């Protein structure tokens, strides 16, 4: 099969991981164009792409530079668009790409409301193209191993899953990009930093949500509109309970990101900078020791973004090539968005939110909440 032609829309911080993932998958993909409103940023990513290719002795062309993605869609023969702009612009850009019949890979969160997420899913189906959302931690070897243990029934009945994201983000971080901490373009720490762990928590149960109760607040970031601390209790249909504690207030620096599963016949804790290390691995059928699984599945990562974009691109490329469903399609991508919006609604109305209430709500509805 011919290489898939990718374009990158938005050349900020996370786009560096997309460049690396494209280089790592260069046997199946090539980056033909990059676009950012700020031309220098697009130039920088194009340089990185070509430099990384040279370092690996891969022969690739320098991607073309654009500052207008609609012009790029018209002029270039693109198969896949990777959307890496501020979260609040994802939906509009995604819909424009989909109507041009491009496959799309969207950074998390896929949209700021469920109706927008549903519109993206519908438009992808209508145009017969694939869609995937960047919850790259699902591909961590530790997380894959955990999921396998669940699928094999090794935990027995699952009682609770707890995600703790105890991080620090200070004023310098928010000053770097003014969209962060706004309701229109970002949401708070639950929507931005914690969304990966929330996705993993719900994926591990594979279960439908019945209720969500959320308590959130802004304690230390008065220059932001959104929450810097949130606690969520999710009740699943199986009666399992999900606990989420997420914050960017931890003094003086990042403390931990952990996922803990308490089951009838097993207990596991995954931790590390971004859920890349197994900390506890106790099962009734102790097939392997903690040391053995640590040796096999723990990995080192360069930063909190981890190394998951490379296998995520690989999975998405395969899904296009083989006409299969990618691991994180639109339906999967919207589940953590749903939980966070329900938690925001719960905080706003001080009550439990039921799954079947229908959530015709976007982050912008929470303006002025704190
Ligand atoms: N998967 C992850 O682990 C991860 C990590 C960080 C960020 N993200 C997500 O990635 C997205 C971007 O975050 P970031 O930190 O890279 O942001 P950023 O501010 O560094 O970059 C966003 C870029 O998009 C550009 N842009 C905006 N509108 C555009 C348009 N119409 N056309 C072309 N370019 C446009 C901006 O000029 C900017 O350079 C967010 O949705 C964020 O939640 C995901």
């Amino acid at each position: 099969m011919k290489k898939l032609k990718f374009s990158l829309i938005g050349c900020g911080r996370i786009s560096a991981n997309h460049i690396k993932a494209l280089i790592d998958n260069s046997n199946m993909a090539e980056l033909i164009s990059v676009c950012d409103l700020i031309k220098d940023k697009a130039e920088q990513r194009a340089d990185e792409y070509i430099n990384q290719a040279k370092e690996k002795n891969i022969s690739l062309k320098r991607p073309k530079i654009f500052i207008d993605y609609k012009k790029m869609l018209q002029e270039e023969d693109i198969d896949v668009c990777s959307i890496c702009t501020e979260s609040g612009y994802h939906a509009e850009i995604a819909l424009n790409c989909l109507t041009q019949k491009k496959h799309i890979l969207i950074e998390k969160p896929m949209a700021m409301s469920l109706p927008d997420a549903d519109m993206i899913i519908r438009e992808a189906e209508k145009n017969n193209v694939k869609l995937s959302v960047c919850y790259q931690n699902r591909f961590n070897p530790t997380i894959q191993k955990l999921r396998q243990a669940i699928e094999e029934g090794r935990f027995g009945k699952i009682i609770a899953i707890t995600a703790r994201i105890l991080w620090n983000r200070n004023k310098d971080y928010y000053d770097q990009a003014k969209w962060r901490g706004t309701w229109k373009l970002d949401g708070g720490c639950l929507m931005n930093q914690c969304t990966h762990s929330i996705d993993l928590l719900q994926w591990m149960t594979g279960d439908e949500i019945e209720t969500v109760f959320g308590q959130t607040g802004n304690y230390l970031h008065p220059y932001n509109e959104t929450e810097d601390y949130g606690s969520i209790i999710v009740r699943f249909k199986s009666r399992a309970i999900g606990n989420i504690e997420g914050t960017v207030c931890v003094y003086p620096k990042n403390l931990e990101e952990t996922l803990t599963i308490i089951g009838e016949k097993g207990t596991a804790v995954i931790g590390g900078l971004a859920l890349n290390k197994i900390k506890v691995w106790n099962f009734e059928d102790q097939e392997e020791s903690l040391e053995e699984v640590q040796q096999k599945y723990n990995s080192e990562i360069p930063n909190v973004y981890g190394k998951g974009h490379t296998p995520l691109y690989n999975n998405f490329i395969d899904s296009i090539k083989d006409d299969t469903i990618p691991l994180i399609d639109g339906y999967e991508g919207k589940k953590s968005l749903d939980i966070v919006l329900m938690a925001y609604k719960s905080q706003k109305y001080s009550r439990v939110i039921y799954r079947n209430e229908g959530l015709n709500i976007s982050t912008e509805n929470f303006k002025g909440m704190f």
Side-chain angles (χ1 to χ4, degrees):
M1 190 186 140
K2 270 176 39 189
K3 283 187 184 187
L4 289 173
K5 294 189 206 105
F6 276 75
S7 285
L8 196 58
I9 304 175
C11 295
R13 277 165 79 110
I14 198 58
S15 66
N17 290 52
H18 291 251
I19 295 286
K20 180 164 186 326
L22 281 159
I23 293 287
D24 291 342
N25 284 286
S26 60
N27 58 332
M28 291 305 304
E30 61 181 320
L31 181 64
I32 62 162
S33 55
V34 287
C35 175
D36 199 288
L37 301 175
I38 303 165
K39 190 163 174 261
D40 281 355
K41 288 183 152 193
E43 297 276 8
Q44 194 192 331
R45 290 296 178 241
D47 287 344
E48 270 172 36
Y49 181 71
I50 216 66
N51 290 338
Q52 287 181 29
K54 272 187 204 146
E55 274 167 26
K56 294 194 160 187
N57 276 330
I58 308 167
S59 167
L60 291 168
K61 279 199 205 134
R62 189 174 193 272
K64 278 176 77 174
I65 309 292
F66 287 85
I67 52 169
D68 178 346
Y69 81 91
K70 289 184 184 160
K71 191 161 176 260
M72 181 171 84
L73 287 175
Q74 273 169 12
E75 291 182 5
E76 296 297 297
D77 182 19
I78 302 164
D79 298 310
V80 190
C81 292
S82 298
I83 301 170
C84 306
T85 63
E86 295 84 336
S87 310
Y89 301 138
H90 290 178
E92 188 193 329
I93 295 176
L95 291 171
N96 278 320
C97 295
L98 291 169
T99 51
Q100 304 280 320
K101 301 201 182 304
K102 311 299 177 196
H103 305 286
I104 58 165
L105 191 57
I106 318 186
E107 263 306 339
K108 58 79 196 162
M110 64 187 289
M112 308 308 284
S113 74
L114 290 187
D116 278 359
D118 287 335
M119 224 182 328
I120 293 171
I121 292 169
R122 266 202 313 276
E123 203 57 35
E125 287 172 350
K126 199 172 102 191
N127 289 290
N128 202 21
V129 289
K130 304 280 180 198
L131 149 68
S132 186
V133 186
C134 293
Y135 286 112
Q136 74 272 9
N137 289 345
R138 283 201 193 189
F139 293 91
N140 293 359
T142 48
I143 295 297
Q144 291 274 324
K145 176 68 181 165
L146 186 67
R147 170 78 191 189
Q148 189 194 343
I150 288 180
E151 282 171 5
E152 290 169 352
R154 294 181 64 194
F155 284 94
K157 184 199 281 285
I158 291 183
I159 296 146
I161 308 190
T162 299
R164 298 181 87 209
I165 310 95
L166 306 185
W167 285 358
N168 175 293
R169 294 290 178 274
N170 58 22
K171 189 161 187 308
D172 286 348
Y173 168 84
Y174 289 100
D175 281 347
Q176 278 166 23
K178 289 293 176 196
W179 63 275
R180 292 192 190 127
T182 64
W183 283 117
K184 186 174 160 43
L185 297 180
D186 189 13
C189 65
L190 293 173
M191 187 68 100
N192 187 329
Q193 285 79 16
C194 307
T195 179
H196 287 291
S197 283
I198 296 172
D199 171 63
L200 294 177
L201 182 143
Q202 70 75 27
W203 186 49
M204 287 303 160
T205 65
D207 196 1
E208 259 181 62
I209 296 163
E210 258 183 1
T211 59
V212 168
F213 182 66
Q215 292 281 276
T216 66
N218 183 325
Y219 296 88
L220 299 179
H221 299 75
Y223 38 86
N224 285 350
E225 297 173 347
T226 55
E227 84 283 354
D228 57 16
Y229 184 95
S231 182
I232 309 176
I233 299 174
V234 183
R235 171 73 86 168
F236 291 95
K237 221 169 171 180
S238 63
R239 295 196 70 248
I241 291 178
N243 302 293
I244 297 147
E245 183 188 26
T247 184
V248 284
C249 289
V250 171
Y251 177 84
K253 59 183 171 81
N254 287 355
L255 181 63
E256 66 173 43
E257 179 173 18
T258 53
L259 193 67
T260 302
I261 302 191
I262 300 175
E264 185 190 7
K265 297 176 186 172
T267 306
V269 181
I270 312 291
L273 191 58
L275 301 168
N276 50 313
K277 303 219 160 149
I278 298 177
K279 301 283 183 189
V280 175
W281 196 255
N282 294 330
F283 288 96
E284 190 181 273
D285 69 347
Q286 197 73 41
E287 285 175 359
E288 61 286 89
S289 70
L290 175 64
E291 291 71 27
E292 278 168 341
V293 284
Q294 284 176 330
Q295 210 171 20
K296 220 160 156 196
Y297 300 101
N298 286 9
S299 59
E300 297 304 324
I301 52 171
N303 52 43
V304 289
Y305 303 156
K307 292 187 191 163
H309 280 83
T310 292
L312 183 134
Y313 263 74
N314 193 270
N315 173 264
F316 191 47
I317 290 166
D318 279 352
S319 79
I320 296 170
K321 196 169 53 111
D322 303 336
D323 193 15
T324 51
I325 299 171
L327 179 66
I328 312 152
D329 66 359
Y331 295 100
E332 284 297 303
K334 83 169 198 184
K335 287 179 181 170
S336 52
L337 174 66
D338 195 0
I339 294 175
V340 174
L341 289 169
M342 286 168 92
Y344 287 165
K345 189 171 176 181
S346 175
Q347 164 66 33
K348 184 167 176 173
Y349 298 108
S350 292
R351 64 174 176 83
V352 166
I353 305 298
Y354 289 84
R355 182 68 192 88
N356 56 7
E357 280 187 40
L359 255 183
N360 205 352
I361 211 160
S362 100
T363 50
E364 283 203 81
N365 292 92
F366 304 107
K367 267 200 160 134
M369 187 150 80
F370 306 120

